[in-house]
Amino acid sequence: MNKPRTPAPVRRALASGLLAGLAALAGCTGPSPGADSSGDSAPRPSSGTAGTGSASATATPTVAPPPADGGCYRLTSGELTRPSSSAAPVPCTAVHTARTVFVGSRGRPEAICPGRLAAFLGGTTTARRLSRFEVVWFSPTAAESQRGARWFRCDLVAFAVRDSLLRLPGKHLHGVLDRRRALDTYGLCGTAAPGSARFGRVICGQRHSWRAVRVVGLRGRTYPGVAAVRTAGQRTCQKTAGARAGKRLRFRYGWEWPTGDQWAAGQHFGYCWVPSTS
């Protein structure tokens, strides 16, 4: 049983930055069971006279406007770790790697943004977990906050090869996971057998040789421990791979379980992997 050399999918928490723990992977063979937007453009001061005296009026800064819902941005993966972004929006018909799916002013973004992503993408919980789509969120910059900004922005991103961001299509993203073969393009795949030296996560639209095909939920309020999670999904993944193998007597599969850090971040599930040709 080996650990991969690349990080697991990321989902950023606003306060703590990017969460990317190394996941443990098991590759096995077995018999078939038969089946700074600073905004320093404040209004100019005005002055006037009243009677024989003079007075000056001080400028009141305008409140920084919130970003537009549905806006597109050209971000890098490194920018996802920052609590705010000063990147200017770009036309969604131009090259972009992030799309705003919600702008809010109340509540906690870490609680709200995942649900907004789900509403935008559609599909089942399993389909979203098997995809390379993620959600990140940003708050106003310091300069915007000084001007009264009190919003947060939920952005959809997708990872292409390892941790590089995918260039998003300008159209047809809304409800994309409701489509029958969406995971053939946007699913979670690998460049080699899980746990091997050449393994790396890629989106399924890129060249790959392995694919995550099932999510296995794990129970418990606290992390069960490596020994427990290491064996928790083995039988399920073996059955899944065997069913896909059909009449072949031998087949390969991999079981990937969450690390303690991933569990603390809310990932209480693991992945079953099989060769993409199976």
Side-chain angles (χ1 to χ4, degrees):
M1 307 297 182
N2 299 317
K3 291 184 178 180
R5 300 188 178 189
T6 56
V10 298
R11 196 177 301 274
R12 184 177 60 78
L14 183 61
S16 60
L18 195 65
L19 296 174
L22 287 177
L25 293 158
C28 306
T29 301
S32 171
D36 187 356
S37 179
S38 60
D40 47 8
S41 56
R44 296 180 181 178
S46 61
S47 61
T49 59
T52 58
S54 64
S56 62
T58 58
T60 301
T62 57
V63 175
D69 195 352
C72 293
Y73 299 85
R74 194 175 301 166
L75 303 180
T76 65
S77 57
E79 292 176 279
L80 305 186
T81 65
R82 302 171 187 173
S84 60
S85 172
S86 59
V90 299
C92 291
T93 53
V95 173
H96 63 284
T97 56
R99 179 169 176 174
T100 300
V101 296
F102 181 71
V103 178
S105 59
R106 296 182 179 181
R108 297 179 297 114
E110 62 269 30
I112 295 172
C113 290
R116 292 292 177 168
L117 178 72
F120 183 87
L121 292 175
T124 63
T125 298
T126 295
R128 292 190 293 273
R129 288 175 174 175
L130 287 172
S131 79
R132 290 283 275 167
F133 289 113
E134 299 288 347
V135 67
V136 295
W137 45 92
F138 298 101
S139 60
T141 63
E144 289 168 333
S145 295
Q146 290 175 354
R147 293 169 57 194
R150 296 295 183 270
W151 48 262
F152 62 89
R153 179 181 110 205
C154 308
D155 282 8
L156 172 156
V157 297
F159 291 92
V161 179
R162 299 183 187 270
D163 291 331
S164 64
L165 292 182
L166 181 73
R167 291 185 178 184
L168 299 176
K171 298 180 180 180
H172 311 304
L173 261 184
H174 193 277
V176 63
L177 292 184
D178 287 327
R179 299 167 201 163
R180 183 171 174 270
R181 302 189 67 87
L183 292 179
D184 290 348
T185 301
Y186 297 108
L188 171 61
C189 286
T191 55
S196 68
R198 295 185 297 109
F199 174 79
R201 295 175 185 272
V202 297
I203 201 165
C204 290
Q206 300 278 351
R207 185 176 180 179
H208 62 277
S209 58
W210 281 70
R211 180 169 179 168
V213 295
R214 183 167 180 173
V215 173
V216 180
L218 303 173
R219 296 181 180 180
R221 286 190 173 184
T222 60
Y223 189 59
V226 173
V229 295
R230 185 173 183 171
T231 59
Q234 287 282 6
R235 180 172 295 182
T236 298
C237 291
Q238 182 181 13
K239 289 182 178 179
T240 298
R244 295 173 68 93
K247 295 182 180 181
R248 282 179 289 165
L249 296 179
R250 296 187 66 82
F251 56 86
R252 293 185 297 166
Y253 69 96
W255 159 237
E256 176 188 359
W257 58 88
T259 65
D261 287 343
Q262 290 170 327
W263 186 278
Q267 183 185 326
H268 297 181
F269 58 88
Y271 295 100
C272 294
W273 290 78
V274 298
S276 58
T277 55
S278 66

